[in-house]
Amino acid sequence: MRQQRELAPCLIGTGTVTELRDMIRALETVETFEYAYVVDGQPMNTGRATLVKLMADPESSTMLVNGCLFLNVASFRYLTFEEISADETVFTLVGDGVQLEMRVTEEPQQREQRAVSRIMEESFDIALRARFDDDEDDEQPF
């Protein structure tokens, strides 16, 4: 009898992820948000910001500067998310003694439009790379 493969998690509306790739995918849906930064249970900072860069880099810091968040998911152990309503999702990034809670503040229509433009940009990049790869094959050495 054939052994069945392990299934990947399926998280709808709420969940917890520990894989960096999954954390990035979830956070790609965020642009503007209200945040609360908590260290050892004590609120340290709150405000509103825009996610401008998302990465998984063991040598870079997560920084919120001038209302812009440069978010390195490698700064955290896991991410939880919960859809509070159709218009509101809360993400919580948890590290060693720190939490960054992000409450999405943009309208659902903004998210839908942005997702479409990202798909178009990715398709363009793939087509452009394929074109350059084809051009290199046509070159003849001197």
Side-chain angles (χ1 to χ4, degrees):
M1 186 155 96
R2 226 168 77 189
Q3 189 176 21
Q4 290 188 342
R5 66 176 170 80
E6 288 289 320
L7 296 178
C10 178
L11 307 169
I12 309 295
T14 186
T16 300
V17 293
T18 58
E19 293 294 326
L20 298 179
R21 183 179 330 178
D22 291 337
M23 293 166 73
I24 286 174
R25 270 189 248 162
L27 292 166
E28 283 177 333
T29 65
V30 176
E31 189 167 312
T32 58
F33 57 93
E34 293 174 355
Y35 69 89
Y37 182 59
V38 178
V39 177
D40 294 328
Q42 298 297 314
M44 301 301 283
N45 204 339
T46 61
R48 185 178 174 100
T50 301
L51 180 60
V52 296
K53 182 156 183 150
L54 187 55
M55 63 193 128
D57 181 355
E59 297 179 2
S60 294
S61 300
T62 291
M63 294 187 295
L64 198 148
V65 178
N66 210 20
C68 298
L69 179 62
F70 301 86
L71 180 57
N72 184 359
V73 294
S75 297
F76 302 93
R77 299 278 176 206
Y78 62 93
L79 172 140
T80 63
F81 65 92
E82 181 179 4
E83 287 182 2
I84 306 301
S85 69
D87 297 339
E88 187 174 16
T89 302
V90 176
F91 295 88
T92 304
L93 291 148
V94 180
D96 296 339
V98 300
Q99 286 189 352
L100 177 59
E101 181 180 289
M102 302 165 60
R103 189 171 294 267
V104 177
T105 59
E106 60 194 10
E107 296 295 319
Q109 294 81 11
Q110 290 174 308
R111 287 194 298 272
E112 290 170 11
Q113 290 170 354
R114 188 178 67 251
V116 169
S117 66
R118 281 184 179 171
I119 290 169
M120 291 171 61
E121 289 171 13
E122 288 175 5
S123 299
F124 177 78
D125 288 345
I126 291 168
L128 193 59
R129 271 182 291 185
R131 182 174 156 225
F132 282 120
D133 289 345
D134 287 345
D135 291 345
E136 288 175 6
D137 293 340
D138 295 338
E139 291 180 0
Q140 299 295 323
F142 290 99

